[in-house]
Each structure stands twice: as C-alpha cells, then as structure tokens.
Amino acid sequence: MSGPAQPRVAAYEGVVCDLDGVVYRGSEAIPYAVSALTEAARHRPLCFATNNASRTPAEVAAQLRELGLTVDDAAVVTSAQAGAALLASELPSGAAVLTVGGPGVAVAVIEAGLTTTSDPDQARAVLQGWGGDVRVDDLARASIAVARGARWVATNTDRTLPTAHGLVPGNGTLVAAVAEATGATPEVVGKPHPPLYRVAAERLGAAANGLLAVGDRLDTDIVGASAVGADSLWVLTGVDGFTHLARSTARPTYAACDLRALLAPRPDVVRNGRTWTWAGTGLTLEAGGPRGLADGIPMDLGDIDANRLVAVGLAAVLGLRDDGEVGKRGAAVLAEALDGVLMHCRPDAPAQ
C-alpha cells in the first residue's frame, strides 16, 4: 500500500518565489500565502526574488516578517543585487556607479564594493531601477552618462508594478525614457533574464535547473524560469490570467489559484484528443468554449474545485495553443471562459 503523495515542493532543491502579486499586494498578504510558505519551508529552502529594486532586502524581509513569515534578510534577492554583482565583476573595486531608483539600488552597489555618484562625468556605469521618487533630473543624468559611454545595466523592464491601489508604471517605462534619449539599449538582469534566478540559486546552494520558480507574471517569472531550465508554478493571484496565457509563449509547468499548490501533489492530467481530464476526478475540459468546459455543463465553482480546474485548464490551453492557428483560436475561447469562471473563485475554497 502506497503512502500519501509527496507535496509538490519536495521534488525540488529549493523554491524561488516572487513577491508582488504572489506573497503580498501592497501591504496586505495574499490569502494562504503565509501559511503555505511556512509549511513549504519545512520541506525545502525558500528564497524570495523580486524585480522591484526600490527597497533593500532588509526592508523587504522586515515586511515578510510582519506578515508572519520567518525569514532572514539573506532570503531576499533583488534585481538591484543582481545588477550590482554584474557590475562588480566587470569594474575595479570602488568604481563609481550612477544609481537611479529607490534606496535598494544604491545599497546594492555599495555592498558589492562599488561607490555611488550622481555626477555623470564620474560614472563608469549606470544601474537603473524603479523608485517612487525618481525624477526627470535622475533620468537626465543617467542619459548623459550613458551617452558618454557609461556601462548601462537595468534591473528590470517590467511595464507595470502592482500596488494596493492598482497597477502603476514600472521600471520599463523609466528605462524606455533613457533609451529614447540616448539610442542605447541596457543589459537587463531581472526576470525574464537569467542573472536574478542564478543569484537566487547561488543563495540557496542549488542548481538553477533544480529550482521551482513561483510567480504571477508569465513574461517575467515564468519565461525567466524557462531561461535557466527551472520548473515553474504560475499563480493566478496577480497580473496575468488565462487570456494572457493564450497569447503568450510562456509554458508554466504548473498553474494554481494560490500558493497552497506548493503543498499539493503534482496534478495528473491526461489528454485524449481535444479533451483534458484530471484522472480519477471526472473533471474534463473540452475545446468547445464556455458550454464545453466541463462535460458540456457550464461550470459552477460550487461543484468544481478551482485549483483542479486551473491545473486542467493549463494543460488544455497549452495543448490547444500548440495546435496551429485553429488551436490558438480554440485556446483563446477556452481561456476567456476560464477567466470568466475563475473571477468567482472563492478565497476560502478548500485546498486540493
């Protein structure tokens, strides 16, 4: 007689978890995030990796502790740290770097053995990240330095940043301003580019391809995981939904409503032609649109477990997306229907 199935997290050397839209939104924890991560840490080491370079790891770790997680400062890796590490590998110790962004950018540069400057004439490099107080003057100084030949590294190019009040312009908009002014292109170290995940893997003492990367953004978290050969868990607590997946090239390994999926067994989804079924449950998705979602019956989450629906939906949308133009159209129809149903996902639904 076999024992209970192992939690999904146990199959990996460690977990790298995104923050904004996954663990918290603004100052509030996302439902189930704290309890699920606390339990996951009993099985495998955790690291938190964020493209948001505005705060220091110590500030981020303090917020996580306030939410109820037991973490030390070293468990947080930021794109500013990845950028500073790259510059430190190229420049002599103490070289001057012009920093743009919140306090996290300057602190990362100093901790990497470099110095900061606001003078474009002194700057050997520019490290540009997001900050709530970034002004036109900051972008102007960065543009002057880059135009004069300074090495330019951007922490990330996320177009938006989730906050408690909604999405706001992200670092990508600030980087675009400097690019427009100079005609230059920065090297980007944050997700989906490999450096941030590689720094996180080093922090965990793990191989990058032995990690499970968790995130809400397909074009950064999930594509970034694939870039280093890591598996990924896409959670629907942040920016992207199934309609984004249907149009994306990202291929999440798993999908779930929330972080409780870390503790659940791997899903067992079987494809038969244009239907996808979670073995043994009778939950079947078909490629026929809203009325073909579950054995021809419109779905009601009072009857269907949302986390299982998301797992089967992932397999179905990815499968259809791969089936040429006709399949892509079917994927778009199915994705729209899934997003419509999952808008009513109950936050107190039991884990499966």
Side-chain angles (χ1 to χ4, degrees):
M1 183 175 179
S2 62
Q6 286 292 307
R8 196 170 322 189
V9 66
Y12 299 93
E13 295 178 43
V15 176
V16 180
C17 190
D18 186 47
L19 290 168
D20 294 310
V22 177
V23 180
Y24 51 66
R25 187 178 297 108
S27 61
E28 300 295 324
I30 286 174
Y32 307 112
V34 173
S35 58
L37 289 168
T38 299
E39 182 60 27
R42 302 181 192 277
H43 298 275
R44 292 294 183 267
L46 305 182
C47 182
F48 299 90
T50 177
N51 271 1
N52 186 343
S54 63
R55 296 191 293 167
T56 66
E59 290 172 320
V60 175
Q63 179 181 356
L64 294 175
R65 289 190 288 268
E66 288 174 1
L67 295 177
L69 287 165
T70 302
V71 298
D72 56 30
D73 297 353
V76 177
V77 180
T78 71
S79 56
Q81 290 180 309
L86 174 63
L87 291 175
S89 72
E90 299 176 348
L91 301 174
S93 178
V97 178
L98 191 152
T99 58
V100 178
V105 182
V107 168
V109 166
I110 293 168
E111 290 181 346
L114 304 169
T115 59
T116 63
T117 182
S118 60
D119 185 349
D121 293 329
Q122 295 181 359
R124 296 280 300 273
V126 173
L127 180 58
Q128 182 176 2
W130 190 88
D133 295 327
V134 172
R135 303 179 303 174
V136 173
D137 286 350
D138 299 313
L139 301 179
R141 283 192 290 270
S143 298
I144 293 168
V146 170
R148 292 178 178 173
R151 177 82 159 89
W152 184 22
V153 173
T155 61
N156 67 296
T157 52
D158 293 17
R159 295 186 303 276
T160 59
L161 180 71
T163 71
H165 304 291
L167 296 178
V168 300
N171 196 48
T173 60
L174 306 179
V175 169
V178 177
E180 185 70 21
T182 62
T185 301
E187 181 167 357
V188 184
V189 294
K191 299 173 283 187
H193 304 274
L196 180 57
Y197 275 138
R198 287 175 179 161
V199 171
E202 291 174 6
R203 194 73 58 88
L204 289 169
N209 62 4
L211 300 174
L212 177 63
V214 185
D216 65 309
R217 288 179 179 263
L218 294 165
D219 60 348
T220 55
D221 302 317
I222 306 306
V223 172
S226 296
V228 296
D231 282 357
S232 58
L233 169 63
W234 173 45
V235 289
L236 303 180
T237 51
V239 173
D240 290 338
F242 275 101
T243 53
H244 300 91
L245 180 67
R247 300 191 300 265
S248 173
T249 59
R251 299 193 69 85
T253 312
Y254 313 109
C257 288
D258 54 66
L259 289 180
R260 290 177 295 174
L262 290 170
L263 308 173
R266 295 186 181 199
D268 184 11
V269 180
V270 177
R271 179 176 184 174
N272 182 12
R274 288 170 67 81
T275 66
W276 289 261
T277 302
W278 185 305
T281 68
L283 172 56
T284 298
L285 298 188
E286 301 175 0
R291 295 195 63 82
L293 283 169
D295 297 328
I297 302 171
M299 286 183 296
D300 177 351
L301 285 184
D303 301 318
I304 298 172
D305 174 73
N307 281 299
R308 286 181 174 174
L309 174 61
V310 169
V312 181
L314 173 67
V317 171
L318 291 182
L320 288 168
R321 205 180 68 182
D322 293 341
D323 286 348
E325 289 304 315
V326 173
K328 288 180 181 178
R329 289 195 291 271
V333 172
L334 180 58
E336 184 176 358
L338 285 165
D339 280 345
V341 171
L342 291 165
M343 285 177 61
H344 308 289
C345 183
R346 295 170 298 172
D348 60 343
Q352 295 288 336

